[in-house]
Every structure is written in structure tokens, then in C-alpha cells.
Amino acid sequence: MEPATRIVRYAAICAAALLLCTGLTTTASAETTTASADSATTGRDPLADQLDAYWTPARMEAALPVDPVKGKGAGTAETGASPAVDGPRPGEYIPPSRSFDGMPQAGTFFWTDATGTGRTCSGSVVRSPGHDLVLSAGHCLKGYAGTSPKRHLAFVPQYHDSLKPFGIFPVRTNGVYVPQQYYDLGEHAGADYDFAFAITEPNQDGTRLEDAVGGVRLLTGTGYYHAPVRMIGYPAGAEKPLECWSWTTRWDSDDPADPGTFPRIACDAFVGGTSGGPMLVPWPGGWAVVGVIGGYHTGGNTPQISYSAYFGTATEALYRAAVTGAPPAGPHLTSG
């Protein structure tokens, strides 16, 4: 396909997307307003108050990405693998991204690692019976499943300009769900399972997450080809999130260290911190999520190309485990 044809195609997709978005945004906003008005509150949440005080603007701005390789062109030198392509193809059109104030259903996690360093990763609120579920990447949250300690771990929806417009939502103790296969196989061999869910507690006012901001629908088993796709992510240290309109295609891994088949998307400037950010498609009444930045090379080695683990039966099983309160998975303990 000639570059000019690609640009015309992309312009047509974006025009259609904007028309859809215009009609859907009003509906989504109305849903969020109604949900907020109708939500039952349980009084102030002391843990949320503590986290709100801890995560000052300075600490949030200083938080480092959990995925420093994303967008750095690092490759997989540690495995000796040398994949033919992980980045833009010759002549490929790369849709631009833009900074914006975000949307209520997308946000970012903040936590401190074992050294006390602030960390961050992106996520999105998915509809659930408990109105409390956030979707992200497995490599973002794998350190918090099972009995792992929470270290100031919380989710801030529509974070921008150091603001918490809907408050801060603590992540429940033992409330992080990562597939057991991801622990067993590791980030590279287990790239097909690079997704996770986190169950949140109410914010400072006692309001549940989905009641405060609404949620997007989780779609599984829908294939690799989607258009238009709106991808959102939070670059670490940036004042605002990024969004980009593009489309997803199928990528069959040529790297034996990262086997599998993944949705692939071209969007500029998605670097460290954007992992876990949603790939959204218009859906009646709002949005649906078909992927998150992660998977192949934990989301891609260049800022122009990102990937997602495919959402299929394993994703459905993990969602069911989270919403039913099943014990979360965790690393198998080894002796010796």
C-alpha cells in the first residue's frame, strides 16, 4: 500500500472514529453522572485518606515506569534472540499521539517498590459486579498478587496535571490477579498472559470506583483486527496522558524467547509508563477494551509500535476469578 493511500485510509478511520466518539462521549458522560449520583457511599475510607496524603504531586510526578524497556529500542539481548522486526516497517505510517486531560475510565497506578522508589503503570476501569475492577498488564502488577505486601498501591482515574479528580482508590489486600501461567513462564515465555486485574477499595468519600467514573466493557475472543482503536497511556513523569487513534493487526512472533500471536498497533510516543494502558473500541453506551499495552517484548521495544496479549479464554478465566473472589495466583515457592 502506498504511503498516500495509507494516509487517506487513516484519515477516513479517524473521521469515522470522531463521529462515533461525538455520539458516545455524551452517553458515557451521562452514565457516569448518573452512576455517581446513585452510588451508595460507606463513609470516609481511612486508607484512601492515607494514600491521598502520601501521593503528593511531587511524588506522583517523580514516579518511575515499571517498564523502562518500553520504547527504548532495547531488544532481547539477554536471551540472544534477534527478531527480524520489532518496530515500524519500512514506509509504515505511524499515527500521531496527543496529550489530553484523559477520560474517567482510564488512569494510572502508583506504588513504591522494595527500595521505596515510586513506580507507575497505566490501567482502565472495566465493568464488574463489584464496581471495583481495574485492568492492566501482568508485568505491571505481578509483584502484588497472593500475599505480597501493598506498598502504597493505589489507582488514580483520569490523573492529569498532578490532580486526582475522582480521588484515589486503594488496591485491596490480596486483590491483584495475574495468570498463574505468567508467573510460571515469566515475562518473555509467558507474554501471551501479560494482563492483570486489581480489585480496589472505595475512595476517600467511600465511593466505589465504577460508581465514580463508570467502566468500559471487557471484550474477549474478538480477533486481532479492530478499527478504529483509541489507545491511551500514561508516560511516566508526563503531566497528561496520551491518546492515539489507529487500528490493530495480527503479529506472529518471530522471537523464540517471546512466542505467541499478538494484536499489534502503530501509535507514536508510547514509552515507559504506558504499559497497561487500554486499547479501546467504540461500543454502544461508551467503550470496550480489546487489549492493553504489554505482551510481546512487554509491549514493544520502540515508542512507535505497541502490542497486547490476546484477550481469550485465559482472560475470561482471570476475570471470573477476580469477580468471584477466588484466591489469586502467585509465584511458586522453590526449596533450597
Side-chain angles (χ1 to χ4, degrees):
M1 186 181 294
E2 295 297 325
T5 305
R6 293 191 186 96
I7 293 172
V8 170
R9 176 188 176 191
Y10 174 68
I13 289 173
C14 286
L18 289 172
L19 287 172
L20 284 166
C21 184
T22 301
L24 290 170
T25 301
T26 302
T27 305
S29 297
E31 282 187 343
T32 299
T33 301
T34 302
S36 297
D38 293 344
S39 64
T41 59
T42 58
R44 296 196 68 81
D45 186 306
L47 179 56
D49 279 330
Q50 294 171 19
L51 288 170
D52 184 42
Y54 180 84
W55 286 112
T56 62
R59 282 187 170 131
M60 290 188 292
E61 291 171 9
L64 300 176
V66 71
D67 52 351
V69 170
K70 175 71 177 99
K72 296 292 187 183
T76 54
E78 73 278 5
T79 66
S82 186
V85 178
D86 180 9
R89 301 183 179 102
E92 180 176 13
Y93 176 71
I94 306 299
S97 60
R98 72 176 187 97
S99 295
F100 75 127
D101 284 345
M103 62 182 288
Q105 298 84 20
T108 185
F109 288 95
F110 290 103
W111 71 94
T112 53
D113 63 19
T115 69
T117 302
R119 297 289 179 178
T120 185
C121 220
S122 303
S124 57
V125 183
V126 294
R127 298 177 188 174
S128 68
H131 289 207
D132 54 8
L133 202 60
V134 185
L135 169 68
S136 189
H139 72 271
C140 288
L141 299 178
K142 66 177 182 177
Y144 292 91
T147 57
S148 297
K150 294 187 305 179
R151 294 182 292 265
H152 309 293
L153 177 60
F155 182 72
V156 180
Q158 202 175 357
Y159 168 77
H160 67 91
D161 300 295
S162 301
L163 300 175
K164 312 182 193 93
F166 296 96
I168 191 166
F169 295 81
V171 173
R172 183 179 303 174
T173 300
N174 292 338
V176 172
Y177 288 79
V178 178
Q180 186 65 59
Q181 298 95 321
Y182 197 63
Y183 287 109
D184 295 345
L185 296 171
E187 287 185 355
H188 295 286
D192 273 334
Y193 302 96
D194 193 0
F195 44 79
F197 295 98
I199 303 173
T200 60
E201 299 285 3
N203 67 2
Q204 303 95 301
D205 296 327
T207 304
R208 294 178 299 179
L209 178 58
E210 192 178 331
D211 293 334
V213 303
V216 302
R217 179 167 178 174
L218 175 68
L219 294 185
T220 61
T222 58
Y224 297 89
Y225 298 90
H226 297 277
V229 175
R230 183 189 186 194
M231 189 162 70
I232 297 174
Y234 280 80
E239 293 184 352
K240 299 177 185 292
L242 294 176
E243 71 170 350
C244 170
W245 287 92
S246 188
W247 54 90
T248 58
T249 57
R250 174 172 169 155
W251 173 256
D252 294 298
S253 172
D254 60 343
D255 185 349
D258 287 61
T261 302
F262 308 90
R264 176 188 187 273
I265 185 169
C267 270
D268 195 24
F270 278 75
V271 294
T274 61
S275 281
M279 300 175 187
L280 303 169
V281 295
W283 194 258
W287 301 94
V289 59
V290 295
V292 296
I293 299 172
Y296 183 66
H297 294 173
T298 58
N301 287 332
T302 72
Q304 296 85 19
I305 303 297
S306 298
Y307 304 88
S308 171
Y310 181 70
F311 283 6
T313 55
T315 317
E316 293 175 4
L318 191 66
Y319 176 85
R320 286 196 300 271
V323 300
T324 58
H332 287 305
L333 297 178
T334 57
S335 58

